[in-house]
Amino acid sequence: MSRNELVAKIEALNEWESVIEEAKAEADALRDAIKAEMLERETEELTAGQYIVRWTSVISNRFDTTAFKKVMPDVYKAYTKAVSSRRFSISA
């Protein structure tokens, strides 16, 4: 791939990522509007035509690694492992 082709691909990628961000922002705004309507109606379930929208509270239990690390640093270290990954980034 030539340098010009690579630059063109990077620029196209930047444009598509911008479109994606705008679409996500629009989707978030629509989601927030639906949630606001549900709050106004004080409901966790709403039927609109063929759709059923649910916005429910969920309780989940998560392990507090920060607190565990403070209380039992040796055990934390014994069960911690290094993981390798690759990160893709483009900067101007």
Side-chain angles (χ1 to χ4, degrees):
M1 182 178 322
S2 72
R3 183 178 184 156
N4 289 340
E5 289 174 322
L6 189 55
V7 168
K9 287 190 182 299
I10 292 170
E11 289 173 351
L13 176 61
N14 287 339
E15 288 177 26
W16 279 110
E17 287 179 343
S18 176
V19 169
I20 290 168
E21 284 182 33
E22 290 174 15
K24 283 183 180 179
E26 182 67 24
D28 287 343
L30 292 169
R31 191 176 291 112
D32 289 343
I34 294 167
K35 288 177 183 178
E37 181 65 23
M38 293 177 81
L39 280 175
E40 187 176 310
R41 294 184 187 195
E42 297 178 355
T43 184
E44 288 189 345
E45 184 173 296
L46 182 66
T47 302
Q50 65 198 32
Y51 302 101
I52 298 173
V53 182
R54 291 180 185 89
W55 186 33
T56 58
S57 300
V58 177
I59 297 174
S60 59
N61 295 309
R62 307 214 188 241
F63 188 74
D64 187 350
T65 56
T66 304
F68 184 73
K69 185 178 179 180
K70 288 179 183 176
V71 175
M72 303 188 86
D74 295 335
V75 175
Y76 176 82
K77 188 175 180 181
Y79 286 92
T80 302
K81 66 178 181 178
V83 177
S84 176
S85 64
R86 295 175 67 171
R87 181 176 293 147
F88 180 78
S89 65
I90 300 173
S91 58

